Amino acid sequence: QVQLQESGPGLVKPSETLSLTCTVSGGSISSYYWSWIRQPPGKGLEWIGYIYYSGSTNYNPSLKSRVTISVDTSKNQFSLKLSSVTAADTAVYYCARVQPYYDILTGYWPRDFDYWGQGTLVTVSS
Amino acid sequence: SYVLTQPPSVSVAPGQTARITCGGNNIGSKSVHWYQQKPGQAPVLVVYDDSDRPSGIPERFSGSNSGNTATLTISRVEAGDEADYYCQVWDSSSDHRGVFGGGTKLTVL
C-alpha cells in the first residue's frame, strides 16, 4: 500500500520560504506524477503544482512565480518550496500521487489524485 | 481560466439518493474526478474518469458527465457518507492546470 508523509516546519515567518518534503513509501516514485495541493482553514482545495518523476514540472499560474517542486528519486521524496509567503499562504498542505494516463498521440498526462498524505498545517505568522 | 461550480450544500435523508453537481463550460469533454473529504482527514478519491470507481469504493457511488454538468450520485445514503465532496478536472487550455470545484457539503438528515 502506497503511503505519503509530509514533513517540514509548521510555522513560517512572513516573507520567508515555506519548505516541505513528501516521503513516499510502499512504492516507487518512478512512472508517476506527484503533486502538492493546499487547503486554507475552512476553505476548498487548491492545486499548487506537479512534478513528473523525470523532473518536468507544471505549476498553478497564480503561484508560479513563487513555487518550486523538485524530486529526489534516490530517496523516494519530492519537495515544495514556496517563497515570499504571507498570511494568505496559511493552509493544510497535502502531497498526492497523480495517476497518469497514456494518450497514443501525445504521451503521458496526469489523471486523478489517487493517494494522499495526511496533510500538514503550515501557519505563516511572525 | 476554467471554473467548476458546485452547490455549497446538499441534504438528504438516510436511504435516499444524493446528487451532487459540478458545472463547467463543456465539462462533458473533460474527465472528471470526485473526492470525498471528512473533517480532519485528507481527501479520498471516490470516482475517476467520470464514472469509474477505485477499488474499495462502494457501488453506491457513481458518476456521469455530459454537456456542461457532471454529477456524483450516492445511492442509499448512509450517515457515514456525510462529508465534503470536490470535483476536479485538468484545464488543457491553460497549461494543463489542475482545477477543483469549490466543494459541496453533504448533510445526512
Side-chain angles (χ1 to χ4, degrees):
Chain A
Q1 177 79 344
V2 175
Q3 293 184 320
L4 292 82
Q5 179 67 57
E6 304 90 350
S7 60
L11 180 64
V12 181
K13 290 182 168 56
S15 81
E16 295 190 344
T17 296
L18 178 161
S19 296
L20 295 173
T21 296
C22 182
T23 300
V24 180
S25 59
S28 173
I29 208 163
S30 298
S31 305
Y32 290 96
Y33 291 89
W34 303 90
S35 193
W36 289 96
I37 297 147
R38 70 181 183 179
Q39 184 172 36
K43 297 188 177 181
L45 301 169
E46 180 182 30
W47 174 74
I48 298 172
Y50 66 64
I51 188 165
Y52 197 37
Y53 76 99
S54 61
S56 61
T57 56
N58 190 19
Y59 302 134
N60 189 324
S62 68
L63 299 170
K64 191 172 185 176
S65 63
R66 300 193 291 131
V67 172
T68 302
I69 298 176
S70 59
V71 65
D72 187 337
T73 54
S74 67
K75 295 182 179 179
N76 243 30
Q77 294 178 334
F78 63 105
S79 299
L80 168 71
K81 289 188 186 301
L82 181 65
S83 63
S84 305
V85 297
T86 69
D89 295 310
T90 293
V92 174
Y93 285 76
Y94 294 100
C95 59
R97 190 180 82 169
V98 190
Q99 186 71 228
Y101 77 91
Y102 182 71
D103 181 287
I104 195 169
L105 294 177
T106 58
Y108 285 99
W109 294 97
R111 196 181 71 188
D112 54 88
F113 304 102
D114 62 348
Y115 287 96
W116 296 64
Q118 65 184 23
T120 186
L121 174 63
V122 179
T123 301
V124 178
S125 175
S126 55
Chain B
S1 61
Y2 196 78
V3 176
L4 294 176
T5 302
Q6 297 183 238
S9 63
V10 168
S11 298
V12 64
Q16 299 303 303
T17 297
R19 293 179 179 85
I20 299 172
T21 58
C22 177
N25 184 34
N26 197 26
I27 195 173
S29 67
K30 302 180 182 298
S31 289
V32 180
H33 317 296
W34 291 91
Y35 304 87
Q36 175 194 68
Q37 186 180 34
K38 296 182 179 179
Q41 298 182 20
V44 172
L45 178 70
V46 293
V47 167
Y48 67 95
D49 279 354
D50 299 336
S51 59
D52 291 332
R53 277 185 316 277
S55 61
I57 300 300
E59 291 183 6
R60 300 185 297 104
F61 288 82
S62 62
S64 62
N65 185 17
S66 179
N68 293 318
T69 305
T71 303
L72 174 69
T73 301
I74 308 171
S75 305
R76 302 181 300 283
V77 167
E78 302 173 357
D81 298 331
E82 187 162 289
D84 293 326
Y85 291 84
Y86 294 89
C87 57
Q88 179 255 319
V89 301
W90 295 96
D91 179 12
S92 56
S93 68
S94 178
D95 289 334
H96 224 75
R97 179 172 73 99
V99 181
F100 285 97
T104 298
K105 168 68 175 178
L106 175 66
T107 299
V108 181
L109 301 170

